[in-house]
């Protein structure tokens, strides 16, 4: 079945780096744009970044621009998020999500998420 | 960036009640509006896309309406499994933005 599984979260000190991964299965990964969406504890959903199906186009939320890099390896069916210069307000559960074949750019498949804690 | 607001922020309802949640965009987004349901500790689940289209597998008691700046999610007869938080999201322009959420709990 269609599935997304994130990994790579953990506890990291402010200013350090972390790389998240999202392994896709059950669908043609290379045909879909992919997103990262995060949720701070007790808060709502915040869109983070998107990468086109072929990896050539990338867009970021202003809150992470210049610090985070989204990428994908279609040969490995894997999405990545490289997070540098982490701050306390980056602490959240990070979900990867598939942008489905809808005109409204809806996210039809989500991973369960991986928790990132930023603490000294 | 397009700002999304939702009302109410929370509501209490009983099984069988009709529930309506409103989402408003800071500028016209046509029908580029999606609705999600999220339960504690779980990933969001797509309910409605393009303002009114029901995602496959979602019960027909859920419906969406609206266009432009004002949208509505309606649950015709609330079931025990519907107690959750609901988010709207605009896919009209990047950055995609979500509403702050509406928590539906048991009266």
């Amino acid at each position: 079945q269609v599935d997304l599984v994130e990994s790579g979260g953990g506890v990291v000190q402010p200013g350090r780096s972390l790389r998240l991964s999202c392994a896709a299965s059950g669908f043609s990964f290379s045909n879909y744009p992919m997103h990262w969406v995060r949720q701070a504890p007790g808060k709502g959903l915040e869109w983070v970044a998107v990468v086109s199906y072929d990896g050539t186009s990338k867009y970021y939320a202003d809150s992470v621009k210049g610090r985070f890099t989204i990428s994908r390896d279609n040969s490995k069916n894997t999405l990545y998020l490289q997070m540098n210069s982490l701050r306390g307000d980056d602490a959240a559960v990070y979900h990867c999500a598939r942008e489905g074949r809808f005109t409204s750019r809806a996210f039809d498949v989500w991973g369960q998420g991986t928790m990132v804690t930023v603490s000294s | 960036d397009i700002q999304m607001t939702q009302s109410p922020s929370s509501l209490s309802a009983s099984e069988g009640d009709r529930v309506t949640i409103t989402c408003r965009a800071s500028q016209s987004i046509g029908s580029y509006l999606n609705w999600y349901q999220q339960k504690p500790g779980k990933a969001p689940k797509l309910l409605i896309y393009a303002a009114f289209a029901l995602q496959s597998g979602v019960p027909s008691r859920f419906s969406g309406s609206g266009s432009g700046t004002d949208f509505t999610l309606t649950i015709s007869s609330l079931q025990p499994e519907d107690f959750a938080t609901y988010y709207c999201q605009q896919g009209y322009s990047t950055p995609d933005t979500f509403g702050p959420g509406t928590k539906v709990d048991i009266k």
Side-chain angles (χ1 to χ4, degrees), chain A residues 39 102-105 107 111, chain B residues 32 34 36 38 49-50 93 96:
Chain A
Q39 187 168 33
F102 311 104
T103 57
S104 58
R105 206 155 72 204
F107 308 140
Chain B
Y32 289 74
N34 310 301
Y36 302 86
Q38 187 180 33
Y49 62 92
S93 67
D96 298 66

Side-chain angles (χ1 to χ4, degrees), chain A residues 55-73:
Chain A
T56 58
S57 295
K58 304 173 184 182
Y59 298 93
Y60 300 92
D62 285 345
S63 57
V64 308
K65 200 173 296 181
R67 300 187 299 121
F68 289 13
T69 301
I70 189 171
S71 63
R72 65 192 298 160
D73 186 337

Side-chain angles (χ1 to χ4, degrees), chain B:
Chain B
D1 299 359
I2 297 175
Q3 308 302 318
M4 307 299 293
T5 58
Q6 287 181 235
S7 61
S9 57
S10 65
L11 66 91
S12 295
S14 301
E15 184 176 341
D17 284 353
R18 181 182 182 88
V19 168
T20 299
I21 299 168
T22 297
C23 175
R24 177 165 290 173
S26 60
Q27 66 183 73
S28 178
I29 58 171
S31 296
Y32 289 74
L33 190 282
N34 310 301
W35 289 98
Y36 302 86
Q37 176 194 66
Q38 187 180 33
K39 297 180 180 179
K42 300 294 188 181
K45 173 187 174 182
L46 177 64
L47 299 176
I48 302 283
Y49 62 92
F52 61 85
L54 197 66
Q55 170 67 340
S56 176
V58 174
S60 59
R61 62 181 179 273
F62 291 93
S63 64
S65 64
S67 66
T69 59
D70 295 315
F71 302 87
T72 299
L73 173 70
T74 300
I75 309 172
S76 60
S77 178
L78 200 65
Q79 297 302 300
E81 60 268 31
D82 301 335
F83 293 98
T85 300
Y86 294 84
Y87 295 93
C88 60
Q89 172 243 337
Q90 66 83 16
Y92 181 79
S93 67
T94 302
D96 298 66
T97 42
F98 291 87
T102 296
K103 184 176 181 181
V104 177
D105 62 21
I106 301 171
K107 182 183 288 184

